[in-house]
Amino acid sequence: MNILIIDGQGGSLGKQLILHLRKALPGQRIAAVGTNSIATAAMLKAGADIGATGENAVRVGSSQANLILGPIGILIADALLGEVTPAMASAVGRSRAQKILVPVSKCNCKIAGTPEQPFSKYIESAVEMAVSFVRGE
């Protein structure tokens, strides 16, 4: 199973996802791609097995992943203060991977039916979904 975490800005969401996934799925290979080097470094420090940065890394990583996790902005061109390029958003959207997206209000996108929750609850929910997917549940 190829799990890919994509994040931008300071990488705090990706970092939290990786820390929680490491506990829930020990030994599982996790790749991290940051839209900038600071995000990539944060995710590597959190325990990602490999990491890369930038548009091409998102494109290649998305094409090889079975599961992609990240903020909802990775599907929206110019999100994360412009860090997500149209090519990045397209690559994630076109990927055959299962996508688990965390609703982050910084992307100016809200999902109807999704209650406002603390950030930690979104992380818990995303990790639970990822574990179910990896285990085929």
Side-chain angles (χ1 to χ4, degrees):
M1 177 74 56
N2 289 325
I3 297 178
L4 176 64
I5 311 295
I6 303 173
D7 198 9
Q9 303 288 288
S12 63
L13 186 145
K15 175 182 174 180
Q16 291 301 313
L17 287 170
I18 291 167
L19 289 171
H20 285 80
L21 284 170
R22 280 281 169 239
K23 290 178 186 172
L25 298 168
Q28 175 63 55
R29 183 178 179 277
I30 300 173
V33 172
T35 60
N36 64 65
S37 59
I38 294 169
T40 304
M43 292 187 286
L44 285 168
K45 189 173 181 179
D49 295 299
I50 58 172
T53 303
E55 180 177 280
N56 201 55
V58 170
R59 293 169 74 176
V60 172
S62 294
S63 72
Q64 298 173 349
N66 301 105
L67 176 61
I68 298 173
L69 293 96
I72 192 167
I74 62 175
L75 278 177
I76 303 169
D78 301 326
L80 304 178
L81 299 176
E83 289 185 15
V84 178
T85 68
M88 289 175 173
S90 178
V92 173
R94 289 181 175 169
S95 172
R96 293 185 175 264
Q98 174 69 44
K99 295 156 200 79
I100 298 174
L101 305 171
V102 178
V104 179
S105 60
K106 290 182 182 178
C107 298
N108 289 332
C109 185
K110 294 194 182 241
I111 310 227
T114 304
E116 289 290 326
Q117 298 183 65
F119 184 70
S120 61
K121 292 292 184 189
Y122 289 134
I123 297 295
E124 287 174 23
S125 178
V127 170
E128 287 172 11
M129 291 174 159
V131 169
S132 291
F133 180 79
V134 168
R135 293 184 177 157
E137 299 171 355

